[in-house]
Amino acid sequence: MSKKIILMQGNEACVEGALAAGMRFFAGYPITPSTEIAEISAEKLPKLGGKFIQMEDEIASMGAIIGASLTGFKSMTATSGPGFSLKQENIGFACLAEIPCVVVNVQRGGPSTGLPTLPAQGDVMQTRWGTHGDHPIIVISPSSVREVYDMTIRAFNLSEKYRVPCILLMDEVVAHMREKVELPEQSSIDIINRKYLNPSMSVYKPYMDYDGDGIPPMMNFGDGLPYHVTGLIHDISGFPSTNADVSKDLLNRLMSKIYNNLDDILEYENIYTEDAETVIVSFGSTARSVHRAVYLLRQEGFKVGMLRLKTIWPFAHKAIKKLKQTPVRNLLVAEMNFGQLLETVKASAEGAFRTYGLNKYNGELITPQEVINKVREVAKHA
Amino acid sequence: MHERVEIRLSGSGGQGLILAGIILAEAAILDGKNAVQSQSYGPEARGGASRAEVIISNINIDYPKVSNPDVLLALTEEAMLKYKYDLQQKGLLIIDSGIEKPEDSYKILQVPILETAKNQVGKIIVANILALGVLTMATGIVSKESIEKAVLERVPKRTKELNKKALYEGFKLGKTQ
């Protein structure tokens, strides 16, 4: 059973998804093209007993959602490139202290304040390496309004399950477009909550791997026993340590809790790749142009397909590896930047394909015709 | 119906064209079709040339932007001159009577949208809804019933009668041509 069919904006779908996932705290500093997420959260959260705070800036917003999450509230913030830069320090804190939270980055043209109202995909690398130090992170990117809804729920689920910040990487096109959607009933949605420890226990080691899966259960701040949370390397008690084994073991656990679960975390979509000679790798709104181009090129008899990445980080190396068992000879990476994902795809291809970039960074969405022209050009080289 | 119909609504910022685009998309959904609405705007809140775009289709809509509009509505000359460049040769240009008719080969429908909204309906602010009435009658892209329902569901309660009147004046203007 589905709810009624309506016209919904991407940013609105993000809030609806967040509320369905159980978000009850939002702190933010509104910025185009993410503003509607804060606006609608401010309207809807209080009605559900949740809290909305407009903070003094993005740094404080990120700090506030970390604090709220520690007390047990599912928490989110939303921003765009300039604000995302400011959040990086606290994102690193959340990675190390293992605080579940969702950060929405609606990409606009950059660098700096750039093109506030126009789309880009220039934050691909910043979502992976924006904060310093080796750290785990999960980044997912939707292509449609319905997918914004589903992926916001998934961002909360992944974040809660793995105790890691999850970045929902949107772009201006997906965020601002309105599209026909049919939302599912709440009862049909899978919700994952973090593992809780019974607050009545007498000794609590906040970073002890009680279950052996690399993910320590949490206790809400304020319930039961007091504990220590820090951005310093810490032992299982949560207190700082400079011990070499403690440092190594902590970083290994932080990485392995993500990299041991790639089958769960990685999502991608293959369209017509089984017999394709050229496969276009894409994500976000660009993938819609690519989809159109693939459809039109197939009508002309071109053997072309698409690999759409839904999970951006960790990178889906297995998706590229699988293409090595097909007739694919050319990979074309279409993105609204100078080629940020292209370098990773090249590394993953290990020379098995001729790899090209289709890049646009003028504040306009890549058009299907541009994809078609590039595919024809690539085919000539072959 | 074609696989994909592209409509661009343009005018000056503040004329309510984005709202008109939303309503047109909602009417298409009420008709059981697919619809995508998008907009383009600069950092300013008022003035300048503003546009809203709607794509209506019986099948899935992938590329969400308008590339060759089948219909262009322009309420100001500035908007018309800025946005008619990629109108299909067989397309329809709907312009307000205050705009100088361009010497182009596509079909042009020129009607007094702003004047009728101001003098017949009584408020120029409903020109966007009146324009939807014209567009509905002139193109048949959406049904009269659905556009009326979509208008009444979107506009504030106290302005329903006013907007309904504007829509019906638009129906009349779109039919007489």
Side-chain angles (χ1 to χ4, degrees):
Chain A
M1 279 292 288
S2 290
K3 288 183 190 172
K4 71 170 187 172
I5 296 163
I6 50 168
L7 185 75
M8 186 176 272
Q9 192 193 45
N11 280 339
E12 190 183 353
C14 177
V15 178
E16 292 296 334
L19 295 174
M23 173 181 74
R24 289 300 177 269
F25 186 88
F26 182 102
Y29 189 77
I31 177 171
T32 302
S34 76
T35 303
E36 293 86 355
I37 299 174
E39 187 184 353
I40 301 166
S41 293
E43 185 192 327
K44 296 208 162 181
L45 266 175
K47 292 176 186 164
L48 294 167
K51 291 271 185 285
F52 169 92
I53 308 181
Q54 179 164 330
M55 299 298 291
E56 68 269 35
D57 61 28
E58 287 88 348
I59 301 171
S61 308
M62 192 62 216
I65 68 162
I66 289 170
S69 180
L70 267 171
T71 69
F73 282 88
K74 288 191 183 176
S75 304
M76 182 171 93
T77 188
T79 190
S80 186
F84 193 59
S85 294
L86 292 171
K87 290 182 193 289
Q88 294 304 329
E89 183 184 5
N90 276 334
I91 288 173
F93 182 92
C95 292
L96 183 71
E98 299 177 77
I99 316 294
C101 55
V102 174
V103 180
V104 182
N105 177 7
V106 183
Q107 295 168 98
R108 65 189 215 184
S112 190
T113 34
L115 296 164
T117 58
L118 302 177
Q121 293 174 314
D123 301 349
V124 171
M125 277 298 164
Q126 197 191 17
T127 56
R128 181 64 194 92
W129 295 116
T131 197
H132 56 275
D134 291 309
H135 60 277
I137 202 146
I138 299 174
V139 182
I140 57 178
S141 188
S143 293
S144 68
V145 172
R146 171 60 200 261
E147 209 167 69
V148 170
Y149 179 87
D150 294 337
M151 280 202 188
T152 308
I153 294 170
R154 183 165 146 82
F156 274 96
N157 284 346
L158 290 168
S159 173
E160 291 281 319
K161 186 173 183 180
Y162 296 109
R163 288 192 63 175
V164 67
C166 186
I167 315 292
L168 184 73
L169 187 63
M170 292 172 47
D171 58 62
E172 188 275 340
V173 174
V174 168
H176 275 163
M177 64 186 271
R178 288 180 178 82
E179 189 163 37
K180 176 178 164 178
V181 287
E182 197 173 353
L183 298 184
E185 288 289 345
Q186 182 75 35
S187 58
S188 69
I189 298 168
D190 288 327
I191 303 289
I192 299 173
N193 295 313
R194 66 189 69 172
K195 292 188 291 179
Y196 282 108
L197 267 189
N198 185 344
S200 65
M201 65 196 299
S202 57
V203 181
Y204 172 41
K205 303 280 188 199
Y207 291 98
M208 179 138 133
D209 184 8
Y210 287 95
D211 304 320
D213 59 0
I215 306 157
M218 288 183 82
M219 196 182 284
N220 291 346
F221 236 66
D223 290 350
L225 299 166
Y227 62 97
H228 194 251
V229 181
T230 175
L232 289 165
I233 296 292
H234 45 268
D235 61 19
I236 58 170
S237 73
F239 285 97
S241 168
T242 53
N243 178 288
D245 286 336
V246 166
S247 305
K248 186 185 75 180
D249 290 349
L250 175 57
L251 282 177
N252 279 339
R253 182 175 62 73
L254 291 181
M255 294 301 177
S256 61
K257 72 178 178 180
I258 302 302
Y259 289 93
N260 286 348
N261 292 293
L262 290 180
D263 284 343
D264 181 42
I265 294 166
L266 298 182
E267 277 191 354
Y268 52 87
E269 180 185 23
N270 286 77
I271 292 172
Y272 299 128
T273 52
E274 57 289 333
D275 68 336
E277 283 172 14
T278 300
V279 165
I280 308 156
V281 183
S282 197
F283 61 98
S285 64
T286 304
R288 298 176 71 116
S289 305
V290 172
H291 188 270
R292 179 86 185 151
V294 167
Y295 170 78
L296 294 170
L297 283 164
R298 279 269 164 185
Q299 286 187 336
E300 287 180 34
F302 268 90
K303 288 196 169 170
V304 56
M306 169 165 84
L307 168 63
R308 180 167 74 92
L309 299 175
K310 298 182 182 183
T311 308
I312 308 295
W313 304 113
F315 184 76
H317 290 289
K318 70 171 180 181
I320 302 293
K321 198 174 170 185
K322 275 184 189 162
L323 292 178
K324 292 176 185 170
Q325 291 142 24
T326 71
V328 175
R329 285 184 299 169
N330 308 309
L331 288 186
L332 180 57
V333 184
E335 48 187 336
M336 283 187 281
N337 59 44
F338 259 78
Q340 296 192 14
L341 205 58
L342 174 65
E343 295 306 319
T344 305
V345 171
K346 271 185 187 168
S348 191
E350 294 173 314
F353 316 103
R354 280 183 291 263
T355 310
Y356 307 86
L358 171 52
N359 305 100
K360 199 172 176 182
Y361 29 80
N362 64 351
E364 289 173 1
L365 180 61
I366 292 173
T367 66
Q369 192 57 50
E370 287 165 335
V371 179
I372 289 168
N373 294 347
K374 189 73 185 181
V375 168
R376 288 204 178 113
E377 184 191 321
V378 164
K380 267 185 220 159
H381 293 175
Chain B
M1 177 175 179
H2 290 295
E3 186 183 294
R4 181 181 170 107
V5 177
E6 301 187 346
I7 304 120
R8 181 179 294 146
L9 311 174
S10 69
S12 166
Q15 280 183 323
L17 291 155
I18 289 172
L19 177 64
I22 292 170
I23 290 170
L24 183 61
E26 285 178 335
I29 290 171
L30 288 172
D31 280 340
K33 291 170 183 163
N34 258 315
V36 169
Q37 181 270 333
S38 67
Q39 60 224 37
S40 166
Y41 61 99
E44 70 278 347
R46 295 272 181 279
S50 153
R51 70 169 186 222
E53 297 183 336
V54 180
I55 299 161
I56 297 172
S57 173
N58 286 323
I59 59 167
N60 183 42
I61 299 166
D62 37 28
Y63 180 58
K65 298 284 183 183
V66 162
S67 42
N68 289 112
D70 298 273
V71 182
L72 170 65
L73 167 82
L75 295 185
T76 65
E77 191 153 325
E78 185 192 356
M80 180 194 73
L81 294 173
K82 188 169 176 185
Y83 295 127
K84 74 180 170 74
Y85 65 96
D86 56 357
L87 180 64
Q88 284 191 23
Q89 281 307 313
K90 288 179 182 172
L92 171 66
L93 174 66
I94 303 174
I95 51 172
D96 183 70
S97 299
I99 300 171
E100 194 179 334
K101 206 170 178 175
E103 288 180 14
D104 288 308
S105 60
Y106 29 69
K107 198 177 156 195
I108 299 173
L109 171 59
Q110 191 170 33
V111 280
I113 294 168
L114 298 176
E115 195 256 311
T116 308
K118 194 179 172 189
N119 297 328
Q120 303 297 119
V121 188
K123 290 251 187 207
I124 196 156
I125 199 162
V126 293
N128 58 343
I129 304 299
L130 196 147
L132 281 180
V134 174
L135 190 141
T136 300
M137 287 307 283
T139 66
I141 290 168
V142 291
S143 69
K144 278 171 75 181
E145 297 71 29
S146 293
I147 195 78
E148 182 174 341
K149 194 164 179 233
V151 167
L152 295 180
E153 277 178 10
R154 267 284 168 185
V155 299
K157 203 176 173 186
R158 63 191 156 71
T159 69
K160 279 189 183 186
E161 277 311 308
L162 184 72
N163 279 292
K164 193 173 171 179
K165 196 176 168 192
L167 186 70
Y168 276 71
E169 287 297 328
F171 286 160
K172 273 195 252 169
L173 284 183
K175 195 160 74 177
T176 53
Q177 299 302 312

